[in-house]
Amino acid sequence: MLTLPNLLTLSRILAVPLLAALLWWPDWPLGYGLGFAIYCLMGITDYFDGYLARAQGTVSKLGVFLDPIADKIMVAAVILVLSAQGVLRGPYVGDMHVIAGLVILIREIAVSGLREFLGGIQVSVPVSRLAKWKTTFQMVCLGALILGHALPGWTMAVAGLVINVPHTVGLTTLWAAAVLTVITGWDYLRVGLKHMD
């Protein structure tokens, strides 16, 4: 039986194609504005599905399975679309920001595989505080990158360059998330290696 928390999680998964479609045209600020609204709504449902499941005592195996998948699908879709449309581009390093996005995607896949392996041998790896910070930076960076294209006029001059403020915040926090991704990914790998022959 589907509970309200599970329905909220499923709504996040079903919203991903709409979000990706709205982000497909980087020269369409209204689309990015709508995409930002949907992205924020997805973040709110992410908080409430877990909160409601714990408060109502309705934590289910389906919810435990779907929640991290919903997060990873959303993050992967946004990074891929923003990369494809040239949004992960900035001053000094051009499109090298795509590397930070790639690091995040590789870590998500690797940690998912590691968790699946460890789950098979009944070993649980709790989410660390640093991993929660990584997730926070990741959510902020993607939201800021979307908002930057929704508000193309929100600019300021810095060191002779005119920069879009949310976009620059997004690129900066993208790299912060990538660094934390490497650190937390290594932490998970170290735990996993202890249980491998």
Side-chain angles (χ1 to χ4, degrees):
M1 183 176 117
L2 285 177
T3 62
L4 178 58
N6 290 344
L7 288 172
L8 289 173
T9 303
L10 284 171
S11 74
R12 291 199 337 262
I13 293 171
L14 295 174
V16 168
L18 175 60
L19 177 61
L22 289 168
L23 302 181
W24 201 256
W25 293 278
D27 296 327
W28 185 35
L30 177 60
Y32 269 70
L34 294 171
F36 181 73
I38 290 172
Y39 181 81
C40 291
L41 186 60
M42 291 169 82
I44 292 167
T45 61
D46 184 24
Y47 170 78
F48 277 109
D49 64 10
Y51 173 79
L52 290 173
R54 288 185 298 275
Q56 298 173 353
T58 57
V59 175
S60 66
K61 290 180 181 177
L62 180 63
V64 170
F65 169 71
L66 285 178
D67 187 60
I69 288 176
D71 296 341
K72 287 172 181 28
I73 289 172
M74 180 186 73
V75 167
V78 172
I79 287 174
L80 286 172
V81 172
L82 295 182
S83 295
Q85 301 310 323
V87 175
L88 297 187
R89 187 172 286 142
Y92 303 115
V93 296
D95 58 5
M96 294 286 286
H97 298 289
V98 171
I99 292 171
L102 185 60
V103 166
I104 290 169
L105 292 178
I106 289 170
R107 184 262 192 199
E108 294 297 341
I109 294 166
V111 168
S112 293
L114 182 61
R115 283 185 181 275
E116 184 177 338
F117 167 76
L118 293 174
I121 58 172
Q122 306 297 312
V123 174
S124 174
V125 182
V127 176
S128 68
R129 184 177 298 274
L130 201 56
K132 290 180 180 179
W133 276 105
K134 183 272 304 179
T135 300
T136 301
F137 276 115
Q138 203 168 268
M139 294 298 118
V140 168
C141 81
L142 297 179
L145 288 166
I146 294 168
L147 185 61
H149 272 66
L151 302 170
W154 197 359
T155 60
M156 63 185 289
V158 176
L161 292 173
V162 176
I163 61 166
N164 179 281
V165 176
H167 184 78
T168 303
V169 167
L171 292 176
T172 304
T173 51
L174 177 70
W175 282 101
V179 168
L180 291 177
T181 287
V182 171
I183 294 168
T184 58
W186 173 247
D187 287 343
Y188 285 127
L189 183 59
R190 276 189 318 179
V191 171
L193 288 172
K194 293 176 184 175
H195 300 281
M196 294 181 189
D197 295 327

